[in-house]
Amino acid sequence: MDRSNQMRRQIAVMRQSLFDQGFLDEQFIQLEELQDDANPNFVEEVATLYYRDSSRLIYNLDQALEKSPLDFNKLDNYMHQLKGSSTSIGAKKVKAECTQFREYCRTGNGEGCIRTFQQLKREYALLKKKLETFFQMKRQVGPGQAACRSK
């Protein structure tokens, strides 16, 4: 098997593991379906925008969690935005943490918010690292493998 076929297989396995391990959901597949020859890097561009916007929200959340007393409305508002962005790229685990965090905001559980936020940051960083590797490998192979859709 030649090198590029080997890479393609590796990419397919890596992509599948992102779903199997619960990092991504169907929304990511829908983004991939919008990618075509005219927009060969569409998914990567969307992910880049997501990380740019969400890192600002995470910074704001970090700052807001330092305040005493906690402003649960403000925290919930930031987390609502982060959940929306995470949903739009299919970041399943991050979205789940956002939902949990918002539940703690609703009940005024500051301890729960802080704990969930730490977990969210771990999931976020892990997904970012995995997606960066995934996109990097895809760039090495080049276009032409966007057509391998697994349903």
Side-chain angles (χ1 to χ4, degrees), residues 6-150:
Q6 213 171 347
M7 282 285 282
R8 280 195 181 88
R9 180 161 292 158
Q10 246 180 317
I11 291 168
V13 166
M14 177 186 252
R15 178 185 173 282
Q16 191 55 50
S17 77
L18 289 168
F19 289 95
D20 293 346
Q21 295 166 17
F23 286 103
L24 296 173
D25 63 22
E26 325 62 61
Q27 184 58 39
F28 190 83
I29 298 169
Q30 289 177 8
L31 287 177
E32 287 180 321
E33 285 168 354
L34 296 172
Q35 186 163 287
D36 56 21
D37 296 339
N39 288 317
N41 301 318
F42 178 73
V43 179
E44 186 173 2
E45 287 163 14
V46 170
T48 302
L49 288 171
Y50 165 71
Y51 280 107
R52 199 179 64 205
D53 291 346
S54 55
S55 64
R56 177 183 49 81
L57 287 168
I58 286 175
Y59 174 79
N60 290 343
L61 280 155
D62 248 332
Q63 298 300 298
L65 284 166
E66 295 292 308
K67 305 253 185 313
S68 186
L70 291 175
D71 180 341
F72 289 107
N73 284 334
K74 181 184 262 186
L75 286 167
D76 186 57
N77 187 25
Y78 287 143
M79 195 53 80
H80 177 67
Q81 293 174 55
L82 183 59
K83 184 181 177 186
S85 312
S86 300
T87 301
S88 71
I89 73 151
K92 191 176 178 180
K93 287 186 176 185
V94 175
K95 183 176 79 175
E97 295 300 331
C98 293
T99 302
Q100 183 61 63
F101 184 98
R102 295 192 69 202
E103 191 54 40
Y104 285 133
C105 281
R106 210 177 53 73
T107 58
N109 181 341
E111 199 51 50
C113 285
I114 291 166
R115 210 176 43 244
T116 304
F117 187 58
Q118 296 312 316
Q119 182 60 30
L120 181 148
K121 288 197 290 189
R122 281 192 292 273
E123 294 296 353
Y124 175 86
L126 197 55
L127 178 64
K128 184 174 193 206
K129 206 170 88 181
K130 286 177 179 287
L131 282 178
E132 280 170 354
T133 307
F134 175 69
F135 291 131
Q136 195 179 350
M137 285 173 73
K138 284 186 77 148
R139 278 196 305 274
Q140 286 171 9
V141 170
Q145 60 95 223
C148 73
R149 301 251 188 273
S150 68

